[in-house]
Amino acid sequence: MNKNDRWAYTLMFSPGILIYFCFLLVPIFLLVYYSFYNWDGISPSYSFAGLSNYVEAFHDKAFGRALFVTMFITVVATLVVNILGIAFAVLLNKKGRMTNFYRSVFFFPLLLSTVSVGFIWKSILSYNGLLNNLIEQLGGERIEFFGDPNLAVLTITFLAIWQSTGFVIVIYLAGLQSIPLSLYEAVRIDGANRWQQFKHITFPMLAPAFTMSIIFMFTGSMREYDRVAVLTYGGPAGATETIAYQVVKVGFNANRLSYSASLAVYMLIIVSILAVSLTVYLRRREEKLL
Amino acid sequence: MRKWFTMCMTLLILSSLLAACGGNSSGTKTNDPAKPADNGTKTTDTKDVEIVFQSWITPNLTVAYYDSLINRFESENPGIKVKRIQPPANEGNPDSYLKSLLASGDFPDVVQNATIQMFVDADALLEIPIDDDIKKINNYEAEMINGKLYNISAIRQPQSLIFYNKKLFAEAGIESTPKTWAELEAAAEKLKAKGITPLLTAGDWTAGFTFSVMTSPDIYKDNKNWYADRFDNKVKFTDPNWIESATYYTNLVKNGYFNKGVLSIDYTAVEQEFLKGNGAMYPMGSWFSAAEANSKKDFEVGVFATPTKDGTQYLLGGENSGGYAVAKMSNHPEAALKFAKFMMLDPEAHKGILQADALFSNLKEPLKWDMSPLQTEIYELLLKNPPMVGHMNNKVGRVPVSGIQDQYNKVAQNILLGDTDVAKNMQSLDEYWDKNNK
Amino acid sequence: MRNERGSNIRHIFLIPLSLLLLIPFYIAVINAFKTREDILANPFSMSIGNLTLDNFLRSAVTPSFNIFKAYWTSILITSVSVVLLILLCSMMSFVFARVQNRFLSICYLLLLSGLMIPPQVILIPLVKVLAKLGLMFTPQGLILYNIGFYVPFTVFIFVGFIRTLSRELDESAKIDGASQLTIFWRILFPLLRPATASAVIFLSLWIWNDFVNPVIILGSTKSYTVTTGIFQAVGQYSTNWEDVFALVVLASAPIFVLYLFMQKQFIAGLTEGSLKG
């Protein structure tokens, strides 16, 4: 690398990383700092607490439960969204008016803010909502979409899938465009059918898009907050509390910012380990396939 | 070499960014540090004083209510401008919002409905001088913290009420309203036998609220300092009186007296259910009577205090709670105090807030407002009642540990989910208390 | 032939699914044009005769809320944030994709951690940082925070795409004596069009719909964005569903328009890319 290149690279790299450093990393560091103190987030003074917050968090049953719920939502949503995403992207990778229409329909849920999403779905899924009225008219029993602890987790997972599929479809659609058509022509001459084409060309060539979607879905679901805050408030009886929801609740409602910071640090550590291993694994896979 | 380049570039860009942004922002700051709070003096006549007011919006206390009062205040007090703001999210109180504003140094001059204790602990509130205006308030000592007053409020807000559908009560042949637990259970049984849903609640904060108003009066009627005693570990949630009270509530749930699908509906929905006649009794605070007055229905609504075991009436609720408080760091404390007093004590404003939220005046010369028949019933219940204490997350001798209402919700939701282990449920309240009492 | 039949079969499956997915939007839009009584009585009907524009006229401009002012703030914040994000992050990604050393690997890991933190969690520390830098209550503060927060996402989008572009492209340009900057802007950036289009759409809608951060960072005495302004205007406990729906439609309309507009660009970009391949 020559001197000019270095200059150019530095110039291109610095501004972005700098802003990131000031406005995201520094607050995260501050959060880690607070986690070693006993600050309520509001008093003018606070004292050093050592590792006590971390010890307490380790034995916190509610935190364990939240971790489980979050992992469940993450694994299910990531898998389902990616399977649907690839399937629909392949179906929609054509020209035509209807294709544009479908793409838009899948994308629409993303365009709404969470508050609107919350209101709309509440009017549909609550005990006396539209869907339950319909079920009753058809002679069925009303379903407690938010009232049954297990079903409530599934409802939140379903809405996460509903809102994220369009996002993943876009990534896969863009990924599909980078696959040279010549590759398909080559195997078509060999008489490969559609499934074989998908298996041997489309899917391997989608590897970078696959990495990206998995990582975004994984990290995005691990910080699930909005839908819970708007739809179930963590209930019933804490069944749908995710880690992020609990961190905010403990920090703001129970006034224990430092303790909630230690929960957040645990969360960061767990998610980092999983995300980094996932990334490394997926990158290796990319290198093998491309 | 490479590292040097990186470093230099970094510093260069950072400094230029900060210069650009910092320069802009300093010019737009509203308060001029060079000029101390000298409102009222003639020299600043040309420049209006602006105070920021954090309002609390509810279906009853609308934006229009505040805007009209602010307009009148501004015309009566030329030179003072009021800028109204409000919290972004539905969290039951403005505390989280105010905390962020405090952290950023943008704490409003006048705040409404905040948890006073918390912001006193944070040294954010101004001590309110006890002058003739304050002395107009009945029992103004009720909300004092360490002998100092920080909020201006002159209201009584009964919360442990049960509203009932007179038509459904008549259908089930219930002649008098229940006063004791046994009478309530008997009434519920009669209603249920007729195929009427006896009791209504919802799955959100309403669940914890209902649990609390149905159980707490029996405890606090005998101990008006219960939370203070809990801090001193003199009492516990697992004491026999709490266990007995919670068992009574658990049995109401176990016997199927509450509405079906309760955990899948929220506060606004359950209110509609009651007004549609889909349930006979609805435990809720006095503010419900404001919604009742504006609704169209083919039955009359009555009210009684939540029963206690022996039938003693003891209402819980707010006594001079909430209201308006002034920021200690306000640049215009006099104007802010003037505005806070105006919002609570000006006859028009006072009547407005009472009527809008169905509250009752706690002035030594109480103001009458245009009450509906139901509100008159509540007023009469209150006449017989001693000063109220709070419940759940409100003051009972002392303000409880922060966030306890969330644990009340969990306990109530657990019971509604069919968990009948009363001792375990009540113990979780003790555990929450000890864990978060820091 | 096979292709033809395949695409017809997909319609049988996709049309009902699309209609199902559109129901929630139908509910929001149709109720914005109905009177309160009509919403409560039959929330899901569409009786053309009874439709009204009153909800919009009443709620668009009130003493405490002016939708045009709010649109202006939102457009300013969103467009400046997005343009800067695209400029800065596409360049960063080029460096990540073309250079490998330990410093960059560490930076990459640090960026990953930014994807994992829920924004609500760092609110208080963030407010402290912004206050220290004198950036609280300024649009600049909000813009810089938006950039910081979305750098990881944007970088990952671009790095993924730049990796799929052959290095031969830049190497041949290099032989012609072009600098890295020129190579990137002249040769690579135009090829990134699909990635840029998707990044623009995602970033715009996230920043436009953001709710908590604008309220806190823009503060009390300054401007408001559409999303925050609307909820300030309606109030959270409000049961004026007719106003809520009308404002939801007004708040989301620009972002739907942007999407429909960008979608054309977006698809053009996509097909161009495939022809070149």
Side-chain angles (χ1 to χ4, degrees):
Chain A
M1 198 187 294
N2 67 38
K3 210 171 163 185
N4 280 339
D5 281 0
R6 268 183 219 150
W7 258 109
Y9 284 137
T10 314
L11 198 70
M12 294 168 93
F13 191 72
S14 317
I17 201 79
L18 228 137
I19 295 176
Y20 175 74
F21 181 82
C22 291
F23 299 99
L24 207 72
L25 274 189
V26 171
I28 293 177
F29 289 144
L30 270 176
L31 197 73
V32 177
Y33 168 83
Y34 294 146
S35 73
F36 294 105
Y37 287 79
N38 248 333
W39 190 36
D40 58 6
I42 174 169
S43 292
S45 63
Y46 45 86
S47 62
F48 187 67
L51 284 170
S52 67
N53 287 323
Y54 288 93
V55 174
E56 188 184 336
F58 193 77
H59 299 286
D60 190 334
K61 272 185 210 141
F63 182 58
R65 158 89 205 178
L67 189 61
F68 173 77
V69 170
T70 314
M71 285 307 288
F72 176 84
I73 296 176
T74 303
V75 171
V76 174
T78 307
L79 281 177
V80 175
V81 164
N82 277 283
I83 292 169
L84 293 178
I86 295 182
F88 287 125
V90 172
L91 278 180
L92 298 178
N93 189 26
K94 299 188 167 82
K95 280 192 191 172
R97 226 172 247 170
M98 283 311 276
T99 306
N100 284 353
F101 168 73
Y102 295 137
R103 284 182 187 174
S104 305
V105 170
F106 283 114
F107 202 77
F108 276 177
L110 269 171
L111 301 176
L112 291 174
S113 67
T114 10
V115 192
S116 321
V117 168
F119 178 66
I120 294 172
W121 280 102
K122 239 186 212 174
S123 68
I124 296 174
L125 292 180
S126 71
Y127 195 70
N128 37 19
L130 164 78
L131 186 56
N132 270 320
N133 288 345
L134 195 72
I135 290 174
E136 203 181 50
Q137 275 169 16
L138 298 175
E141 276 274 306
R142 285 174 186 265
I143 300 168
E144 295 217 37
F145 290 105
F146 301 121
D148 179 88
N150 296 324
L151 198 53
V153 175
L154 287 178
T155 307
I156 296 285
T157 315
F158 164 76
L159 293 181
I161 293 168
W162 173 74
Q163 251 194 317
S164 318
T165 303
F167 169 74
V168 169
I169 292 176
V170 172
I171 297 184
Y172 283 121
L173 272 176
L176 285 173
Q177 310 312 315
S178 64
I179 304 177
L181 290 176
S182 51
L183 284 178
Y184 289 105
E185 277 149 26
V187 290
R188 229 175 267 155
I189 293 166
D190 297 343
N193 65 25
R194 287 182 140 216
W195 170 246
Q196 283 165 330
Q197 286 175 31
F198 176 79
K199 200 174 140 197
H200 296 297
I201 298 172
T202 314
F203 190 64
M205 290 301 285
L206 277 178
F210 187 74
T211 308
M212 217 188 293
S213 323
I214 293 272
I215 294 295
F216 284 141
M217 271 311 293
F218 176 80
T219 52
S221 322
M222 284 302 282
R223 55 185 191 195
E224 176 76 40
Y225 171 85
D226 292 358
R227 279 175 284 261
V228 175
V230 170
L231 285 162
T232 66
Y233 319 103
T240 53
E241 272 181 20
T242 58
I243 305 177
Y245 186 79
Q246 211 170 58
V247 167
V248 173
K249 208 187 67 184
V250 169
F252 280 91
N253 289 6
N255 263 351
R256 298 185 65 200
L257 191 87
S258 284
Y259 181 59
S260 86
S262 75
L263 297 183
V265 172
Y266 269 124
M267 170 185 174
L268 261 183
I269 293 170
I270 295 169
V271 183
S272 307
I273 292 172
L274 292 173
V276 170
S277 353
L278 250 179
T279 318
V280 170
Y281 169 78
L282 291 168
R283 274 283 138 70
R284 292 227 176 102
R285 178 177 167 275
E286 266 178 52
E287 274 157 24
K288 245 183 257 165
L289 289 173
L290 290 180
Chain B
M1 259 328 258
R2 212 185 113 77
K3 277 181 193 161
W4 275 110
F5 280 129
T6 322
M7 283 260 293
C8 293
M9 281 311 296
T10 306
L11 287 175
L12 202 84
I13 291 158
L14 182 65
S15 51
S16 60
L17 262 175
L18 291 185
C21 303
N24 260 331
S25 66
S26 63
T28 47
K29 272 263 183 193
T30 41
N31 42 343
D32 191 345
K35 213 185 286 167
D38 59 348
N39 53 301
T41 58
K42 291 286 172 223
T43 49
T44 53
D45 254 356
T46 44
K47 233 185 156 189
D48 282 350
V49 160
E50 190 186 71
I51 54 173
V52 178
F53 161 51
Q54 168 260 314
S55 61
W56 183 247
I57 306 290
T58 75
N60 302 331
L61 292 171
T62 57
V63 170
Y65 163 76
Y66 290 105
D67 286 348
S68 74
L69 282 177
I70 288 170
N71 280 340
R72 196 154 65 77
F73 179 79
E74 285 178 345
S75 63
E76 285 173 17
N77 296 278
I80 305 180
K81 286 263 167 278
V82 179
K83 163 100 190 166
R84 192 184 61 79
I85 58 168
Q86 74 194 57
N90 176 2
E91 291 172 322
N93 61 48
D95 295 346
S96 304
Y97 177 57
L98 289 175
K99 264 190 251 180
S100 331
L101 292 181
L102 187 64
S104 69
D106 189 31
F107 200 69
D109 298 285
V110 177
V111 301
Q112 185 188 3
N113 215 23
T115 302
I116 300 298
Q117 178 85 52
M118 186 195 303
F119 293 97
V120 169
D121 290 346
D123 202 24
L125 296 181
L126 187 76
E127 187 192 341
I128 289 164
I130 311 293
D131 54 16
D132 290 346
D133 289 333
I134 300 297
K135 283 182 184 152
K136 284 183 201 156
I137 302 169
N138 221 353
N139 197 17
Y140 64 83
E141 303 91 343
E143 283 286 300
M144 279 189 167
I145 294 170
N146 300 327
K148 290 175 183 169
L149 187 68
Y150 294 95
N151 65 327
I152 303 177
S153 175
I155 54 113
R156 305 186 87 192
Q157 182 192 51
Q159 297 189 358
S160 60
L161 299 170
I162 296 183
F163 295 93
Y164 69 100
N165 182 324
K166 288 186 176 168
K167 193 169 141 197
L168 295 178
F169 262 46
E171 263 174 48
I174 304 164
E175 270 132 30
S176 62
T177 55
K179 291 201 165 48
T180 65
W181 291 353
E183 284 167 18
L184 183 97
E185 279 162 344
E189 194 51 48
K190 277 187 194 167
L191 288 160
K192 200 186 167 197
K194 285 269 175 190
I196 300 164
T197 305
L199 282 157
L200 290 172
T201 186
D204 54 3
W205 62 269
T206 319
F209 178 87
T210 306
F211 170 76
S212 179
V213 295
M214 298 283 280
T215 55
S216 317
D218 203 58
I219 321 293
Y220 302 153
K221 77 177 163 50
D222 301 323
N223 182 354
K224 296 177 178 54
N225 286 312
W226 201 87
Y227 279 147
D229 286 352
R230 182 64 189 78
F231 273 109
D232 299 336
N233 281 319
K234 285 190 215 153
V235 292
K236 280 202 173 339
F237 285 103
T238 40
D239 288 345
N241 57 355
W242 260 115
I243 296 284
E244 196 186 8
S245 206
T247 307
Y248 148 75
Y249 186 80
T250 308
N251 285 335
L252 292 178
V253 174
K254 213 159 60 176
N255 292 333
Y257 295 150
F258 280 99
N259 46 327
K260 271 181 97 184
V262 49
L263 288 166
S264 296
I265 61 172
D266 60 11
Y267 167 61
T268 34
V270 76
E271 186 176 286
Q272 290 305 314
E273 289 292 291
F274 181 72
L275 290 171
K276 276 190 226 153
N278 291 339
M281 291 183 270
Y282 175 43
M284 194 35 68
S286 64
W287 56 83
F288 167 71
S289 65
E292 190 270 344
N294 294 327
S295 66
K296 281 181 221 143
K297 55 199 171 330
D298 60 349
F299 57 86
E300 272 181 44
V301 177
V303 66
F304 57 95
T306 52
T308 52
K309 194 185 172 196
D310 61 5
T312 326
Q313 184 202 301
Y314 186 59
L315 284 170
L316 305 177
E319 186 97 16
N320 298 343
S321 61
Y324 300 87
V326 175
K328 194 173 194 174
M329 295 160 314
S330 170
N331 286 322
H332 314 288
E334 282 164 37
L337 192 61
K338 198 170 191 179
F339 179 70
K341 277 183 182 167
F342 170 85
M343 290 301 280
M344 182 50 74
L345 300 175
D346 173 86
E348 286 295 303
H350 191 60
K351 264 194 230 173
I353 202 163
L354 295 177
Q355 178 153 23
D357 225 13
L359 301 165
F360 299 89
S361 177
N362 210 12
L363 291 174
K364 286 190 176 133
E365 292 162 37
L367 286 175
K368 285 267 156 53
W369 46 281
D370 187 18
M371 291 182 200
S372 71
L374 181 61
Q375 285 157 349
T376 314
E377 268 191 63
I378 302 174
Y379 182 72
E380 278 155 16
L381 280 181
L382 262 176
L383 286 179
K384 295 178 250 163
N385 208 67
M388 297 180 290
V389 297
H391 69 109
M392 207 154 73
N393 56 330
N394 300 310
K395 192 170 173 181
V396 185
R398 245 183 103 178
V399 178
V401 297
S402 302
I404 188 98
Q405 72 272 27
D406 191 64
Q407 197 58 38
Y408 275 99
N409 283 338
K410 277 190 185 162
V411 167
Q413 289 165 348
N414 260 326
I415 296 172
L416 291 168
L417 281 170
D419 182 346
T420 52
D421 189 342
V422 177
K424 192 191 80 192
N425 274 324
M426 294 312 288
Q427 202 187 336
S428 74
L429 278 162
D430 274 329
E431 280 164 10
Y432 182 90
W433 189 288
D434 295 332
K435 191 168 141 63
N436 293 291
N437 180 19
K438 298 269 152 102
Chain C
M1 271 309 279
R2 208 174 48 193
N3 254 331
E4 284 287 299
R5 213 178 58 218
S7 37
N8 288 336
I9 289 170
R10 81 191 171 123
H11 291 310
I12 294 171
F13 165 66
L14 284 170
I15 288 176
L17 184 70
S18 307
L19 293 180
L20 205 66
L21 287 172
L22 282 176
I23 288 175
F25 300 96
Y26 169 76
I27 292 170
V29 173
I30 197 70
N31 282 317
F33 292 96
K34 296 206 288 202
T35 61
R36 172 175 233 169
E37 290 72 32
D38 209 9
I39 294 177
L40 290 175
N42 19 271
F44 306 106
S45 75
M46 179 167 64
S47 40
I48 306 281
N50 290 338
L51 298 187
T52 167
L53 280 173
D54 285 357
N55 301 335
F56 293 97
L57 298 175
R58 188 179 50 243
S59 44
V61 180
T62 66
S64 58
F65 178 70
N66 181 337
I67 190 112
F68 301 106
K69 206 180 143 197
Y71 275 148
W72 167 242
T73 313
S74 277
I75 289 170
L76 177 84
I77 303 270
T78 309
S79 56
V80 175
S81 304
V82 171
V83 168
L84 284 174
L85 270 164
I86 297 292
L87 290 181
L88 300 179
C89 295
S90 61
M91 293 193 297
M92 268 175 91
S93 310
F94 175 67
V95 180
F96 273 127
R98 292 294 186 250
V99 186
Q100 259 144 13
N101 63 35
R102 189 172 294 164
F103 173 74
L104 287 176
S105 312
I106 292 170
C107 285
Y108 205 75
L109 285 181
L110 284 177
L111 282 188
L112 258 180
S113 71
L115 274 183
M116 296 165 211
I117 196 87
Q120 302 84 7
V121 170
I122 54 164
L123 198 57
I124 293 272
L126 173 74
V127 162
K128 294 253 165 202
V129 169
L130 288 171
K132 260 262 141 62
L133 297 177
L135 289 169
M136 266 317 271
F137 325 127
T138 62
Q140 293 94 323
L142 183 57
I143 289 169
L144 283 169
Y145 164 75
N146 280 336
I147 297 174
F149 187 75
Y150 290 112
V151 159
F153 169 80
T154 324
V155 165
F156 289 124
I157 285 265
F158 278 119
V159 169
F161 277 85
I162 297 177
R163 287 224 170 101
T164 64
L165 298 175
S166 165
R167 267 173 194 250
E168 285 160 27
L169 283 171
D170 19 329
E171 264 146 32
S172 57
K174 188 138 192 218
I175 293 166
D176 298 340
S179 77
Q180 294 294 344
L181 263 173
T182 328
I183 294 172
F184 177 72
W185 288 116
R186 290 270 166 76
I187 297 168
L188 283 175
F189 192 72
L191 294 178
L192 293 177
R193 224 165 118 180
T196 309
S198 26
V200 167
I201 289 177
F202 289 128
L203 293 171
S204 311
L205 69 97
W206 284 332
I207 293 171
W208 184 278
N209 282 333
D210 190 8
F211 182 53
V212 177
N213 291 304
V215 171
I216 302 298
I217 298 176
L218 289 181
S220 56
T221 50
K222 290 275 158 7
S223 37
Y224 44 83
T225 67
V226 177
T227 311
T228 61
I230 272 175
F231 292 98
Q232 298 260 346
V234 175
Q236 283 293 311
Y237 281 114
S238 178
T239 41
N240 293 336
W241 299 133
E242 69 278 19
D243 290 0
V244 174
F245 280 125
L247 287 170
V248 161
V249 169
L250 283 177
S252 315
I255 212 77
F256 274 79
V257 171
L258 175 85
Y259 170 73
L260 294 174
F261 170 73
M262 285 296 288
Q263 199 207 22
K264 269 190 176 173
Q265 303 288 104
F266 184 29
I267 288 165
L270 290 176
T271 36
E272 246 169 51
S274 70
L275 288 177
K276 271 184 192 130

